[in-house]
Amino acid sequence: MSTEITEQVLYRKKVEEQSRIIEEQKKHLEKVLEDKDEFFSVISHDFKTPLNVIITAIQAMNNICGNELPEKAKKYVGMIKMNTFRQLRLVNNLLDITRVDTGNIKINKKNINIVFLTKAIVESVQTYAAQKNIDLMFICPFENKIIGIDDEKYERILLNLLSNAIKFSPESRSIVVKLISKKNKVNIEVKDYGIGIPEDKKAIIFEKFGQVDSSLSRRAEGSGIGLSLVKRFVVAMGGCISVKSKMRKGSTFIVQLPDETVTDEGNDNEVADLLDNRLIQSTKVEFSDIYF
Ligand code: ADP
C-alpha cells in the first residue's frame, strides 16, 4: 500500500516537473520571438535610412546634371535607382509584416471616394503596363463611392495586385480593374489573362514567402511577401481577399471591403496630396521588381 502511494507521489512530482520545464521553454520561446521581431524592426529602420539617402542623392544628381551624363552613365544611374527602390520595397514589406505580426499595425481610416482613388492608382501604373504593351482598363458603373479606408494601405494593396498582374502576364494581354458595389460591400477586382495559379497553390500564395515557383532563380525576382502583406492589410481594414484562377487563362484577385463610412477619421490629409508625391514614389517602389 505504502509503495503504491510513494509511486503516485513520485509520478505527480515527475508530471509537475515536466510541466514546469515546458512552461519555462514556452516563456523562453516567446522571448526569442519577441526579440526577433524587435531585431527585425530596428534593423529594417536602419536599412531604410541609407536607402532613402541614396534615392535623394540620385534624384539630386539627375536634377543638377542629368542631361550632361553620358548614355552609359545614365544607364548605370538608372540601375542603381531601380535596385535601391527594389531594396526599399523589401525592407518596407519586412517592416510592415513584422508590425502586423506583433499587432503594431495602425489603420488610419478616412472617408474617401474609392472610385477617384482607384482610378488614380490605375493611371499611375499605365506607363509600366504600356512597356509590356498591356491594355490596362478601369471599369466602374458609378462615379462616386465614399467609404472609410486607409488610403495608404489601399494604395499598397492595389499596386501590389497590379504589379503581379503585369509581372505574370505575357506581352500584349489585357488587365481589367473593376469596382463593384454589393450589398454592404465594395469589391475591387483585378483581372489578368496571364499564366494563372495552380489550384493547389492558391492558399499558399497568401502565406509569408509563399510562391508558386520557389526555385532560387525565381526567388531572385520576388520574395513572396507581397500577397501575405496584402491579405493582412485587407483583413486589418475589415475586408477579405480571394482569388479565382485557371492555368494559362489568367487570375482574378477580389478584394472585398465594407461599404461604410467612419465617424472618427484618423487624419485629414487631402487625398489629392496622395496624387502628388506619395503615389509616384510608391508606384516606383512597388514596380521595382519589373525590369523591361
Ligand atoms: P512575389 O514577390 O514573389 O511576387 P507575392 O506574394 O506578391 O510575391 O506573390 C506570391 C506568388 O503568387 C508569386 O510568386 C506568384 O507565383 C503568384 N502570383 C501572384 N499574383 C499572380 C498573378 N496575377 N498571376 C499568376 N501568379 C501570381
Side-chain angles (χ1 to χ4, degrees), residues 15 19 32 34 54 74 85 106 108 123 151 191 194 198 211-212 230 254 280 284 292:
V15 170
S19 306
V32 169
E34 246 174 54
I54 296 172
K74 270 190 201 159
F85 278 132
K106 256 188 82 184
N108 194 4
E123 271 165 16
D151 56 342
K191 184 180 178 66
Q211 292 180 315
V212 172
V230 161
I254 303 153
I280 298 168
K284 280 183 187 161
F292 300 115

PDB file of all heavy atoms in Angstrom, residues 15 19 32 34 54 74 85 106 108 123 151 191 194 198 211-212 230 254 280 284 292:
ATOM      1  N   VAL A  15       5.337  14.679 -13.161  1.00  0.00           N
ATOM      2  CA  VAL A  15       4.451  15.437 -14.059  1.00  0.00           C
ATOM      3  C   VAL A  15       4.609  16.931 -13.804  1.00  0.00           C
ATOM      4  O   VAL A  15       4.714  17.734 -14.728  1.00  0.00           O
ATOM      5  CB  VAL A  15       2.976  14.998 -13.869  1.00  0.00           C
ATOM      6  CG1 VAL A  15       2.029  15.943 -14.609  1.00  0.00           C
ATOM      7  CG2 VAL A  15       2.781  13.569 -14.359  1.00  0.00           C
ATOM      8  N   SER A  19       5.827  19.765 -16.421  1.00  0.00           N
ATOM      9  CA  SER A  19       5.012  20.952 -16.730  1.00  0.00           C
ATOM     10  C   SER A  19       5.822  22.222 -16.540  1.00  0.00           C
ATOM     11  O   SER A  19       5.736  23.164 -17.316  1.00  0.00           O
ATOM     12  CB  SER A  19       3.780  21.039 -15.827  1.00  0.00           C
ATOM     13  OG  SER A  19       3.075  19.875 -15.901  1.00  0.00           O
ATOM     14  N   VAL A  32      12.314  34.739 -27.294  1.00  0.00           N
ATOM     15  CA  VAL A  32      13.138  34.692 -28.513  1.00  0.00           C
ATOM     16  C   VAL A  32      12.365  35.317 -29.679  1.00  0.00           C
ATOM     17  O   VAL A  32      12.907  36.110 -30.446  1.00  0.00           O
ATOM     18  CB  VAL A  32      13.530  33.228 -28.856  1.00  0.00           C
ATOM     19  CG1 VAL A  32      14.157  33.140 -30.255  1.00  0.00           C
ATOM     20  CG2 VAL A  32      14.513  32.698 -27.821  1.00  0.00           C
ATOM     21  N   GLU A  34       9.867  37.476 -29.535  1.00  0.00           N
ATOM     22  CA  GLU A  34       9.750  38.924 -29.301  1.00  0.00           C
ATOM     23  C   GLU A  34      11.038  39.640 -29.697  1.00  0.00           C
ATOM     24  O   GLU A  34      11.017  40.653 -30.388  1.00  0.00           O
ATOM     25  CB  GLU A  34       9.512  39.178 -27.813  1.00  0.00           C
ATOM     26  CG  GLU A  34       8.149  39.754 -27.511  1.00  0.00           C
ATOM     27  CD  GLU A  34       7.941  39.831 -26.013  1.00  0.00           C
ATOM     28  OE1 GLU A  34       8.795  40.421 -25.323  1.00  0.00           O
ATOM     29  OE2 GLU A  34       6.936  39.268 -25.541  1.00  0.00           O
ATOM     30  N   ILE A  54      20.281  57.474 -50.522  1.00  0.00           N
ATOM     31  CA  ILE A  54      20.747  57.155 -51.893  1.00  0.00           C
ATOM     32  C   ILE A  54      19.727  57.664 -52.918  1.00  0.00           C
ATOM     33  O   ILE A  54      20.086  58.301 -53.910  1.00  0.00           O
ATOM     34  CB  ILE A  54      20.954  55.625 -52.072  1.00  0.00           C
ATOM     35  CG1 ILE A  54      22.065  55.120 -51.144  1.00  0.00           C
ATOM     36  CG2 ILE A  54      21.316  55.299 -53.530  1.00  0.00           C
ATOM     37  CD1 ILE A  54      22.222  53.603 -51.107  1.00  0.00           C
ATOM     38  N   LYS A  74      24.176  57.185 -67.545  1.00  0.00           N
ATOM     39  CA  LYS A  74      22.735  57.279 -67.269  1.00  0.00           C
ATOM     40  C   LYS A  74      22.163  55.889 -67.000  1.00  0.00           C
ATOM     41  O   LYS A  74      21.346  55.686 -66.122  1.00  0.00           O
ATOM     42  CB  LYS A  74      22.019  57.890 -68.480  1.00  0.00           C
ATOM     43  CG  LYS A  74      21.909  59.385 -68.441  1.00  0.00           C
ATOM     44  CD  LYS A  74      20.979  59.858 -69.535  1.00  0.00           C
ATOM     45  CE  LYS A  74      21.217  61.313 -69.865  1.00  0.00           C
ATOM     46  NZ  LYS A  74      20.748  61.716 -71.165  1.00  0.00           N
ATOM     47  N   PHE A  85      15.192  51.153 -55.127  1.00  0.00           N
ATOM     48  CA  PHE A  85      13.746  51.053 -54.911  1.00  0.00           C
ATOM     49  C   PHE A  85      13.360  49.612 -54.552  1.00  0.00           C
ATOM     50  O   PHE A  85      12.517  49.364 -53.709  1.00  0.00           O
ATOM     51  CB  PHE A  85      12.983  51.485 -56.163  1.00  0.00           C
ATOM     52  CG  PHE A  85      12.828  52.978 -56.287  1.00  0.00           C
ATOM     53  CD1 PHE A  85      13.121  53.634 -57.468  1.00  0.00           C
ATOM     54  CD2 PHE A  85      12.377  53.733 -55.218  1.00  0.00           C
ATOM     55  CE1 PHE A  85      12.976  55.016 -57.588  1.00  0.00           C
ATOM     56  CE2 PHE A  85      12.221  55.109 -55.326  1.00  0.00           C
ATOM     57  CZ  PHE A  85      12.525  55.745 -56.515  1.00  0.00           C
ATOM     58  N   LYS A 106      -1.077  50.117 -37.703  1.00  0.00           N
ATOM     59  CA  LYS A 106      -2.045  51.184 -37.442  1.00  0.00           C
ATOM     60  C   LYS A 106      -2.891  51.401 -38.674  1.00  0.00           C
ATOM     61  O   LYS A 106      -2.364  51.631 -39.757  1.00  0.00           O
ATOM     62  CB  LYS A 106      -1.298  52.483 -37.100  1.00  0.00           C
ATOM     63  CG  LYS A 106      -1.342  52.785 -35.614  1.00  0.00           C
ATOM     64  CD  LYS A 106      -0.771  54.145 -35.308  1.00  0.00           C
ATOM     65  CE  LYS A 106      -1.809  55.234 -35.537  1.00  0.00           C
ATOM     66  NZ  LYS A 106      -1.255  56.581 -35.341  1.00  0.00           N
ATOM     67  N   ASN A 108      -5.441  53.720 -40.469  1.00  0.00           N
ATOM     68  CA  ASN A 108      -5.833  55.109 -40.375  1.00  0.00           C
ATOM     69  C   ASN A 108      -6.959  55.376 -41.385  1.00  0.00           C
ATOM     70  O   ASN A 108      -6.703  55.826 -42.497  1.00  0.00           O
ATOM     71  CB  ASN A 108      -4.572  55.912 -40.720  1.00  0.00           C
ATOM     72  CG  ASN A 108      -4.688  57.353 -40.344  1.00  0.00           C
ATOM     73  OD1 ASN A 108      -5.679  57.774 -39.754  1.00  0.00           O
ATOM     74  ND2 ASN A 108      -3.681  58.131 -40.706  1.00  0.00           N
ATOM     75  N   GLU A 123      -4.095  54.761 -63.131  1.00  0.00           N
ATOM     76  CA  GLU A 123      -3.404  55.662 -64.075  1.00  0.00           C
ATOM     77  C   GLU A 123      -1.906  55.719 -63.806  1.00  0.00           C
ATOM     78  O   GLU A 123      -1.095  55.773 -64.726  1.00  0.00           O
ATOM     79  CB  GLU A 123      -4.004  57.067 -64.006  1.00  0.00           C
ATOM     80  CG  GLU A 123      -5.165  57.211 -64.978  1.00  0.00           C
ATOM     81  CD  GLU A 123      -6.018  58.438 -64.707  1.00  0.00           C
ATOM     82  OE1 GLU A 123      -5.568  59.337 -63.986  1.00  0.00           O
ATOM     83  OE2 GLU A 123      -7.156  58.465 -65.215  1.00  0.00           O
ATOM     84  N   ASP A 151      -6.080  55.042 -46.978  1.00  0.00           N
ATOM     85  CA  ASP A 151      -5.670  55.229 -48.387  1.00  0.00           C
ATOM     86  C   ASP A 151      -4.276  54.695 -48.671  1.00  0.00           C
ATOM     87  O   ASP A 151      -4.011  54.139 -49.735  1.00  0.00           O
ATOM     88  CB  ASP A 151      -5.792  56.701 -48.801  1.00  0.00           C
ATOM     89  CG  ASP A 151      -5.010  57.642 -47.910  1.00  0.00           C
ATOM     90  OD1 ASP A 151      -4.650  57.220 -46.791  1.00  0.00           O
ATOM     91  OD2 ASP A 151      -4.757  58.782 -48.311  1.00  0.00           O
ATOM     92  N   LYS A 191      -8.261  41.697 -62.713  1.00  0.00           N
ATOM     93  CA  LYS A 191      -8.319  40.500 -63.567  1.00  0.00           C
ATOM     94  C   LYS A 191      -7.225  40.538 -64.623  1.00  0.00           C
ATOM     95  O   LYS A 191      -7.059  41.538 -65.319  1.00  0.00           O
ATOM     96  CB  LYS A 191      -9.685  40.475 -64.255  1.00  0.00           C
ATOM     97  CG  LYS A 191      -9.957  39.254 -65.110  1.00  0.00           C
ATOM     98  CD  LYS A 191     -11.351  39.370 -65.733  1.00  0.00           C
ATOM     99  CE  LYS A 191     -11.681  38.205 -66.635  1.00  0.00           C
ATOM    100  NZ  LYS A 191     -11.795  36.943 -65.935  1.00  0.00           N
ATOM    101  N   GLY A 194      -3.038  36.216 -67.637  1.00  0.00           N
ATOM    102  CA  GLY A 194      -1.652  35.747 -67.590  1.00  0.00           C
ATOM    103  C   GLY A 194      -1.516  34.255 -67.357  1.00  0.00           C
ATOM    104  O   GLY A 194      -2.395  33.470 -67.731  1.00  0.00           O
ATOM    105  N   PRO A 198      -1.791  27.479 -60.092  1.00  0.00           N
ATOM    106  CA  PRO A 198      -2.295  26.114 -59.915  1.00  0.00           C
ATOM    107  C   PRO A 198      -3.231  26.025 -58.704  1.00  0.00           C
ATOM    108  O   PRO A 198      -3.012  26.728 -57.707  1.00  0.00           O
ATOM    109  CB  PRO A 198      -1.036  25.273 -59.682  1.00  0.00           C
ATOM    110  CG  PRO A 198       0.123  26.157 -59.971  1.00  0.00           C
ATOM    111  CD  PRO A 198      -0.340  27.572 -59.969  1.00  0.00           C
ATOM    112  N   GLN A 211       5.332  31.181 -52.757  1.00  0.00           N
ATOM    113  CA  GLN A 211       5.420  31.419 -54.205  1.00  0.00           C
ATOM    114  C   GLN A 211       5.038  30.133 -54.929  1.00  0.00           C
ATOM    115  O   GLN A 211       5.234  29.038 -54.407  1.00  0.00           O
ATOM    116  CB  GLN A 211       6.845  31.801 -54.607  1.00  0.00           C
ATOM    117  CG  GLN A 211       7.268  33.158 -54.077  1.00  0.00           C
ATOM    118  CD  GLN A 211       8.683  33.516 -54.489  1.00  0.00           C
ATOM    119  OE1 GLN A 211       9.586  32.700 -54.405  1.00  0.00           O
ATOM    120  NE2 GLN A 211       8.876  34.734 -54.925  1.00  0.00           N
ATOM    121  N   VAL A 212       4.535  30.267 -56.138  1.00  0.00           N
ATOM    122  CA  VAL A 212       4.174  29.079 -56.919  1.00  0.00           C
ATOM    123  C   VAL A 212       5.458  28.351 -57.301  1.00  0.00           C
ATOM    124  O   VAL A 212       5.595  27.148 -57.134  1.00  0.00           O
ATOM    125  CB  VAL A 212       3.380  29.490 -58.180  1.00  0.00           C
ATOM    126  CG1 VAL A 212       3.181  28.295 -59.092  1.00  0.00           C
ATOM    127  CG2 VAL A 212       2.030  30.080 -57.760  1.00  0.00           C
ATOM    128  N   VAL A 230      -0.593  42.000 -48.382  1.00  0.00           N
ATOM    129  CA  VAL A 230      -1.866  42.473 -48.938  1.00  0.00           C
ATOM    130  C   VAL A 230      -3.025  41.880 -48.122  1.00  0.00           C
ATOM    131  O   VAL A 230      -3.930  42.600 -47.692  1.00  0.00           O
ATOM    132  CB  VAL A 230      -1.988  42.053 -50.433  1.00  0.00           C
ATOM    133  CG1 VAL A 230      -3.423  42.109 -50.899  1.00  0.00           C
ATOM    134  CG2 VAL A 230      -1.129  42.952 -51.303  1.00  0.00           C
ATOM    135  N   ILE A 254      -9.889  39.240 -55.894  1.00  0.00           N
ATOM    136  CA  ILE A 254     -11.062  40.009 -55.459  1.00  0.00           C
ATOM    137  C   ILE A 254     -10.875  40.470 -54.007  1.00  0.00           C
ATOM    138  O   ILE A 254     -10.745  39.654 -53.094  1.00  0.00           O
ATOM    139  CB  ILE A 254     -12.343  39.158 -55.564  1.00  0.00           C
ATOM    140  CG1 ILE A 254     -12.501  38.659 -57.007  1.00  0.00           C
ATOM    141  CG2 ILE A 254     -13.584  39.940 -55.129  1.00  0.00           C
ATOM    142  CD1 ILE A 254     -13.260  37.375 -57.114  1.00  0.00           C
ATOM    143  N   ILE A 280       3.480  58.577 -56.716  1.00  0.00           N
ATOM    144  CA  ILE A 280       4.562  58.414 -57.703  1.00  0.00           C
ATOM    145  C   ILE A 280       5.678  57.562 -57.100  1.00  0.00           C
ATOM    146  O   ILE A 280       6.147  56.588 -57.695  1.00  0.00           O
ATOM    147  CB  ILE A 280       5.120  59.793 -58.135  1.00  0.00           C
ATOM    148  CG1 ILE A 280       4.010  60.609 -58.802  1.00  0.00           C
ATOM    149  CG2 ILE A 280       6.317  59.640 -59.054  1.00  0.00           C
ATOM    150  CD1 ILE A 280       4.348  62.071 -59.013  1.00  0.00           C
ATOM    151  N   LYS A 284       6.852  53.603 -58.025  1.00  0.00           N
ATOM    152  CA  LYS A 284       8.227  53.251 -58.406  1.00  0.00           C
ATOM    153  C   LYS A 284       8.750  52.112 -57.524  1.00  0.00           C
ATOM    154  O   LYS A 284       9.380  51.182 -57.995  1.00  0.00           O
ATOM    155  CB  LYS A 284       9.141  54.469 -58.257  1.00  0.00           C
ATOM    156  CG  LYS A 284       9.029  55.426 -59.418  1.00  0.00           C
ATOM    157  CD  LYS A 284      10.017  56.550 -59.239  1.00  0.00           C
ATOM    158  CE  LYS A 284       9.815  57.621 -60.280  1.00  0.00           C
ATOM    159  NZ  LYS A 284      10.420  58.887 -59.888  1.00  0.00           N
ATOM    160  N   PHE A 292      12.264  45.860 -67.705  1.00  0.00           N
ATOM    161  CA  PHE A 292      11.939  45.688 -69.128  1.00  0.00           C
ATOM    162  C   PHE A 292      13.173  45.996 -69.968  1.00  0.00           C
ATOM    163  O   PHE A 292      13.977  46.800 -69.620  1.00  0.00           O
ATOM    164  CB  PHE A 292      10.809  46.629 -69.542  1.00  0.00           C
ATOM    165  CG  PHE A 292       9.547  46.392 -68.782  1.00  0.00           C
ATOM    166  CD1 PHE A 292       9.060  47.372 -67.942  1.00  0.00           C
ATOM    167  CD2 PHE A 292       8.861  45.206 -68.896  1.00  0.00           C
ATOM    168  CE1 PHE A 292       7.886  47.163 -67.236  1.00  0.00           C
ATOM    169  CE2 PHE A 292       7.690  45.006 -68.189  1.00  0.00           C
ATOM    170  CZ  PHE A 292       7.199  45.972 -67.352  1.00  0.00           C
TER     171      PHE A 292
END
